[in-house]
mmCIF file of all heavy atoms in Angstrom:
data_model
loop_
_atom_site.group_PDB
_atom_site.id
_atom_site.type_symbol
_atom_site.label_atom_id
_atom_site.label_comp_id
_atom_site.label_asym_id
_atom_site.label_seq_id
_atom_site.Cartn_x
_atom_site.Cartn_y
_atom_site.Cartn_z
ATOM 1 N N ASN A 226 4.346 10.905 -7.347
ATOM 2 C CA ASN A 226 5.369 11.437 -8.252
ATOM 3 C C ASN A 226 5.973 12.670 -7.599
ATOM 4 O O ASN A 226 5.684 12.974 -6.432
ATOM 5 C CB ASN A 226 4.787 11.722 -9.645
ATOM 6 C CG ASN A 226 3.690 12.784 -9.626
ATOM 7 O OD1 ASN A 226 3.541 13.549 -8.663
ATOM 8 N ND2 ASN A 226 2.906 12.836 -10.689
ATOM 9 N N GLU A 227 6.803 13.377 -8.374
ATOM 10 C CA GLU A 227 7.553 14.503 -7.807
ATOM 11 C C GLU A 227 6.672 15.678 -7.399
ATOM 12 O O GLU A 227 7.160 16.649 -6.805
ATOM 13 C CB GLU A 227 8.603 14.980 -8.814
ATOM 14 C CG GLU A 227 8.055 15.629 -10.072
ATOM 15 C CD GLU A 227 7.580 14.648 -11.121
ATOM 16 O OE1 GLU A 227 7.690 13.420 -10.877
ATOM 17 O OE2 GLU A 227 7.110 15.090 -12.191
ATOM 18 N N ASN A 228 5.375 15.618 -7.675
ATOM 19 C CA ASN A 228 4.471 16.714 -7.314
ATOM 20 C C ASN A 228 3.866 16.560 -5.924
ATOM 21 O O ASN A 228 3.168 17.464 -5.463
ATOM 22 C CB ASN A 228 3.339 16.813 -8.342
ATOM 23 C CG ASN A 228 3.858 17.167 -9.723
ATOM 24 O OD1 ASN A 228 4.627 18.106 -9.884
ATOM 25 N ND2 ASN A 228 3.448 16.404 -10.724
ATOM 26 N N VAL A 229 4.118 15.420 -5.278
ATOM 27 C CA VAL A 229 3.530 15.196 -3.953
ATOM 28 C C VAL A 229 4.577 14.672 -2.989
ATOM 29 O O VAL A 229 5.529 13.993 -3.377
ATOM 30 C CB VAL A 229 2.345 14.205 -4.014
ATOM 31 C CG1 VAL A 229 1.234 14.755 -4.882
ATOM 32 C CG2 VAL A 229 2.785 12.833 -4.508
ATOM 33 N N LEU A 230 4.383 14.984 -1.726
ATOM 34 C CA LEU A 230 5.228 14.443 -0.668
ATOM 35 C C LEU A 230 5.015 12.935 -0.580
ATOM 36 O O LEU A 230 3.885 12.448 -0.723
ATOM 37 C CB LEU A 230 4.865 15.099 0.662
ATOM 38 C CG LEU A 230 5.824 14.921 1.838
ATOM 39 C CD1 LEU A 230 7.082 15.737 1.613
ATOM 40 C CD2 LEU A 230 5.142 15.342 3.137
ATOM 41 N N ILE A 231 6.070 12.200 -0.360
ATOM 42 C CA ILE A 231 5.962 10.747 -0.235
ATOM 43 C C ILE A 231 5.329 10.402 1.111
ATOM 44 O O ILE A 231 5.805 10.841 2.160
ATOM 45 C CB ILE A 231 7.350 10.096 -0.344
ATOM 46 C CG1 ILE A 231 7.950 10.359 -1.731
ATOM 47 C CG2 ILE A 231 7.262 8.592 -0.083
ATOM 48 C CD1 ILE A 231 9.422 10.005 -1.839
ATOM 49 N N PRO A 232 4.236 9.636 1.115
ATOM 50 C CA PRO A 232 3.627 9.228 2.391
ATOM 51 C C PRO A 232 4.609 8.432 3.234
ATOM 52 O O PRO A 232 5.342 7.582 2.722
ATOM 53 C CB PRO A 232 2.450 8.343 1.943
ATOM 54 C CG PRO A 232 2.141 8.778 0.549
ATOM 55 C CD PRO A 232 3.468 9.154 -0.044
ATOM 56 N N ARG A 233 4.612 8.725 4.522
ATOM 57 C CA ARG A 233 5.532 8.058 5.438
ATOM 58 C C ARG A 233 4.769 7.347 6.546
ATOM 59 O O ARG A 233 3.662 7.746 6.920
ATOM 60 C CB ARG A 233 6.506 9.076 6.029
ATOM 61 C CG ARG A 233 7.544 9.561 5.002
ATOM 62 C CD ARG A 233 8.188 10.848 5.437
ATOM 63 N NE ARG A 233 9.357 11.182 4.647
ATOM 64 C CZ ARG A 233 9.318 11.776 3.448
ATOM 65 N NH1 ARG A 233 8.150 12.081 2.884
ATOM 66 N NH2 ARG A 233 10.437 12.059 2.810
ATOM 67 N N GLN A 234 5.408 6.329 7.101
ATOM 68 C CA GLN A 234 4.758 5.533 8.135
ATOM 69 C C GLN A 234 4.371 6.385 9.336
ATOM 70 O O GLN A 234 3.336 6.137 9.972
ATOM 71 C CB GLN A 234 5.667 4.386 8.571
ATOM 72 C CG GLN A 234 5.001 3.426 9.548
ATOM 73 C CD GLN A 234 5.910 2.276 9.936
ATOM 74 O OE1 GLN A 234 7.116 2.310 9.706
ATOM 75 N NE2 GLN A 234 5.336 1.249 10.542
ATOM 76 N N ASP A 235 5.182 7.379 9.673
ATOM 77 C CA ASP A 235 4.871 8.239 10.818
ATOM 78 C C ASP A 235 3.486 8.867 10.687
ATOM 79 O O ASP A 235 2.785 9.080 11.682
ATOM 80 C CB ASP A 235 5.915 9.344 10.955
ATOM 81 C CG ASP A 235 7.272 8.817 11.395
ATOM 82 O OD1 ASP A 235 7.320 7.707 11.939
ATOM 83 O OD2 ASP A 235 8.278 9.515 11.179
ATOM 84 N N THR A 236 3.093 9.187 9.464
ATOM 85 C CA THR A 236 1.819 9.866 9.226
ATOM 86 C C THR A 236 0.631 8.944 9.478
ATOM 87 O O THR A 236 -0.498 9.414 9.665
ATOM 88 C CB THR A 236 1.782 10.414 7.790
ATOM 89 O OG1 THR A 236 2.900 11.292 7.602
ATOM 90 C CG2 THR A 236 0.514 11.206 7.517
ATOM 91 N N GLU A 237 0.863 7.644 9.525
ATOM 92 C CA GLU A 237 -0.228 6.715 9.813
ATOM 93 C C GLU A 237 -0.837 6.997 11.185
ATOM 94 O O GLU A 237 -2.023 6.757 11.415
ATOM 95 C CB GLU A 237 0.261 5.273 9.716
ATOM 96 C CG GLU A 237 0.637 4.869 8.293
ATOM 97 C CD GLU A 237 1.015 3.403 8.171
ATOM 98 O OE1 GLU A 237 1.048 2.706 9.212
ATOM 99 O OE2 GLU A 237 1.263 2.955 7.035
ATOM 100 N N LEU A 238 -0.031 7.529 12.116
ATOM 101 C CA LEU A 238 -0.559 7.871 13.439
ATOM 102 C C LEU A 238 -1.632 8.947 13.336
ATOM 103 O O LEU A 238 -2.623 8.921 14.088
ATOM 104 C CB LEU A 238 0.575 8.336 14.358
ATOM 105 C CG LEU A 238 0.162 8.749 15.778
ATOM 106 C CD1 LEU A 238 -0.490 7.581 16.518
ATOM 107 C CD2 LEU A 238 1.374 9.263 16.563
ATOM 108 N N LEU A 239 -1.475 9.897 12.424
ATOM 109 C CA LEU A 239 -2.485 10.936 12.224
ATOM 110 C C LEU A 239 -3.803 10.311 11.768
ATOM 111 O O LEU A 239 -4.883 10.664 12.251
ATOM 112 C CB LEU A 239 -1.989 11.958 11.194
ATOM 113 C CG LEU A 239 -2.955 13.093 10.832
ATOM 114 C CD1 LEU A 239 -3.283 13.940 12.056
ATOM 115 C CD2 LEU A 239 -2.350 13.959 9.734
ATOM 116 N N VAL A 240 -3.720 9.376 10.825
ATOM 117 C CA VAL A 240 -4.922 8.689 10.339
ATOM 118 C C VAL A 240 -5.556 7.871 11.454
ATOM 119 O O VAL A 240 -6.779 7.903 11.650
ATOM 120 C CB VAL A 240 -4.572 7.789 9.136
ATOM 121 C CG1 VAL A 240 -5.801 7.004 8.677
ATOM 122 C CG2 VAL A 240 -4.025 8.622 7.985
ATOM 123 N N GLU A 241 -4.738 7.149 12.207
ATOM 124 C CA GLU A 241 -5.247 6.314 13.293
ATOM 125 C C GLU A 241 -5.908 7.165 14.382
ATOM 126 O O GLU A 241 -6.869 6.731 15.023
ATOM 127 C CB GLU A 241 -4.111 5.488 13.880
ATOM 128 C CG GLU A 241 -3.595 4.422 12.926
ATOM 129 C CD GLU A 241 -2.248 3.850 13.346
ATOM 130 O OE1 GLU A 241 -1.681 4.343 14.347
ATOM 131 O OE2 GLU A 241 -1.746 2.932 12.671
ATOM 132 N N THR A 242 -5.399 8.373 14.590
ATOM 133 C CA THR A 242 -5.999 9.283 15.563
ATOM 134 C C THR A 242 -7.357 9.774 15.085
ATOM 135 O O THR A 242 -8.304 9.898 15.873
ATOM 136 C CB THR A 242 -5.075 10.488 15.808
ATOM 137 O OG1 THR A 242 -3.817 10.028 16.318
ATOM 138 C CG2 THR A 242 -5.687 11.477 16.795
ATOM 139 N N ALA A 243 -7.476 10.029 13.779
ATOM 140 C CA ALA A 243 -8.692 10.632 13.236
ATOM 141 C C ALA A 243 -9.817 9.630 13.011
ATOM 142 O O ALA A 243 -10.996 9.977 13.156
ATOM 143 C CB ALA A 243 -8.362 11.335 11.918
ATOM 144 N N ILE A 244 -9.493 8.414 12.650
ATOM 145 C CA ILE A 244 -10.525 7.437 12.267
ATOM 146 C C ILE A 244 -11.635 7.289 13.311
ATOM 147 O O ILE A 244 -12.828 7.339 12.966
ATOM 148 C CB ILE A 244 -9.885 6.074 11.928
ATOM 149 C CG1 ILE A 244 -9.218 6.147 10.555
ATOM 150 C CG2 ILE A 244 -10.931 4.964 11.933
ATOM 151 C CD1 ILE A 244 -8.437 4.899 10.184
ATOM 152 N N PRO A 245 -11.330 7.133 14.607
ATOM 153 C CA PRO A 245 -12.418 6.968 15.588
ATOM 154 C C PRO A 245 -13.306 8.202 15.723
ATOM 155 O O PRO A 245 -14.419 8.108 16.264
ATOM 156 C CB PRO A 245 -11.680 6.695 16.906
ATOM 157 C CG PRO A 245 -10.319 6.249 16.505
ATOM 158 C CD PRO A 245 -10.010 6.985 15.240
ATOM 159 N N LEU A 246 -12.829 9.347 15.246
ATOM 160 C CA LEU A 246 -13.573 10.599 15.382
ATOM 161 C C LEU A 246 -14.502 10.864 14.206
ATOM 162 O O LEU A 246 -15.302 11.801 14.242
ATOM 163 C CB LEU A 246 -12.595 11.772 15.498
ATOM 164 C CG LEU A 246 -11.483 11.652 16.535
ATOM 165 C CD1 LEU A 246 -10.496 12.817 16.372
ATOM 166 C CD2 LEU A 246 -12.062 11.623 17.945
ATOM 167 N N CYS A 247 -14.396 10.055 13.144
ATOM 168 C CA CYS A 247 -14.984 10.413 11.854
ATOM 169 C C CYS A 247 -16.281 9.699 11.506
ATOM 170 O O CYS A 247 -16.829 9.923 10.421
ATOM 171 C CB CYS A 247 -13.962 10.156 10.736
ATOM 172 S SG CYS A 247 -12.537 11.248 10.818
ATOM 173 N N ASN A 248 -16.809 8.872 12.380
ATOM 174 C CA ASN A 248 -18.026 8.127 12.063
ATOM 175 C C ASN A 248 -19.200 9.064 11.799
ATOM 176 O O ASN A 248 -19.640 9.799 12.674
ATOM 177 C CB ASN A 248 -18.357 7.169 13.210
ATOM 178 C CG ASN A 248 -19.584 6.335 12.906
ATOM 179 O OD1 ASN A 248 -19.879 6.033 11.752
ATOM 180 N ND2 ASN A 248 -20.317 5.951 13.949
ATOM 181 N N GLY A 249 -19.695 9.066 10.558
ATOM 182 C CA GLY A 249 -20.823 9.908 10.185
ATOM 183 C C GLY A 249 -20.508 11.385 10.147
ATOM 184 O O GLY A 249 -21.419 12.222 10.137
ATOM 185 N N LYS A 250 -19.220 11.745 10.084
ATOM 186 C CA LYS A 250 -18.801 13.143 10.172
ATOM 187 C C LYS A 250 -18.342 13.691 8.818
ATOM 188 O O LYS A 250 -18.033 12.949 7.889
ATOM 189 C CB LYS A 250 -17.654 13.287 11.181
ATOM 190 C CG LYS A 250 -17.951 12.745 12.564
ATOM 191 C CD LYS A 250 -19.086 13.491 13.243
ATOM 192 C CE LYS A 250 -19.261 13.008 14.685
ATOM 193 N NZ LYS A 250 -20.364 13.722 15.373
ATOM 194 N N ARG A 251 -18.296 15.011 8.752
ATOM 195 C CA ARG A 251 -17.746 15.708 7.586
ATOM 196 C C ARG A 251 -16.283 16.023 7.888
ATOM 197 O O ARG A 251 -15.968 16.673 8.884
ATOM 198 C CB ARG A 251 -18.522 16.988 7.304
ATOM 199 C CG ARG A 251 -18.164 17.645 5.981
ATOM 200 C CD ARG A 251 -19.120 18.769 5.622
ATOM 201 N NE ARG A 251 -18.912 19.181 4.228
ATOM 202 C CZ ARG A 251 -18.599 20.423 3.842
ATOM 203 N NH1 ARG A 251 -18.481 21.392 4.747
ATOM 204 N NH2 ARG A 251 -18.421 20.706 2.569
ATOM 205 N N VAL A 252 -15.380 15.571 7.002
ATOM 206 C CA VAL A 252 -13.937 15.626 7.260
ATOM 207 C C VAL A 252 -13.248 16.461 6.188
ATOM 208 O O VAL A 252 -13.527 16.315 4.990
ATOM 209 C CB VAL A 252 -13.336 14.209 7.271
ATOM 210 C CG1 VAL A 252 -11.834 14.269 7.544
ATOM 211 C CG2 VAL A 252 -14.037 13.330 8.305
ATOM 212 N N LEU A 253 -12.315 17.315 6.619
ATOM 213 C CA LEU A 253 -11.488 18.107 5.701
ATOM 214 C C LEU A 253 -10.036 17.698 5.873
ATOM 215 O O LEU A 253 -9.520 17.671 6.997
ATOM 216 C CB LEU A 253 -11.640 19.598 5.992
ATOM 217 C CG LEU A 253 -10.683 20.552 5.248
ATOM 218 C CD1 LEU A 253 -10.927 20.514 3.735
ATOM 219 C CD2 LEU A 253 -10.823 21.977 5.781
ATOM 220 N N ASP A 254 -9.379 17.380 4.764
ATOM 221 C CA ASP A 254 -7.946 17.065 4.756
ATOM 222 C C ASP A 254 -7.222 18.221 4.075
ATOM 223 O O ASP A 254 -7.204 18.322 2.857
ATOM 224 C CB ASP A 254 -7.711 15.746 4.013
ATOM 225 C CG ASP A 254 -6.233 15.379 3.900
ATOM 226 O OD1 ASP A 254 -5.409 16.036 4.557
ATOM 227 O OD2 ASP A 254 -5.917 14.431 3.153
ATOM 228 N N LEU A 255 -6.615 19.093 4.890
ATOM 229 C CA LEU A 255 -5.868 20.239 4.378
ATOM 230 C C LEU A 255 -4.454 19.816 3.980
ATOM 231 O O LEU A 255 -3.836 19.023 4.675
ATOM 232 C CB LEU A 255 -5.775 21.329 5.440
ATOM 233 C CG LEU A 255 -6.934 22.316 5.610
ATOM 234 C CD1 LEU A 255 -6.631 23.253 6.780
ATOM 235 C CD2 LEU A 255 -7.181 23.128 4.348
ATOM 236 N N CYS A 256 -3.942 20.377 2.878
ATOM 237 C CA CYS A 256 -2.607 20.019 2.377
ATOM 238 C C CYS A 256 -2.566 18.525 2.057
ATOM 239 O O CYS A 256 -1.652 17.805 2.458
ATOM 240 C CB CYS A 256 -1.514 20.374 3.378
ATOM 241 S SG CYS A 256 -1.552 22.083 3.979
ATOM 242 N N THR A 257 -3.523 18.070 1.289
ATOM 243 C CA THR A 257 -3.741 16.636 1.098
ATOM 244 C C THR A 257 -2.651 15.942 0.305
ATOM 245 O O THR A 257 -2.394 14.755 0.490
ATOM 246 C CB THR A 257 -5.110 16.382 0.441
ATOM 247 O OG1 THR A 257 -5.406 14.992 0.492
ATOM 248 C CG2 THR A 257 -5.129 16.852 -1.018
ATOM 249 N N GLY A 258 -1.972 16.636 -0.627
ATOM 250 C CA GLY A 258 -0.919 16.004 -1.419
ATOM 251 C C GLY A 258 -1.446 14.833 -2.212
ATOM 252 O O GLY A 258 -2.358 14.968 -3.036
#
């Protein structure tokens, strides 16, 4: 809704970059929206 930024396809690269690093890890998502 109007309270959050609309997720965009470009941001999927950030997720794809992080996923291999996160196995069994503690993860913080800053500015999560």
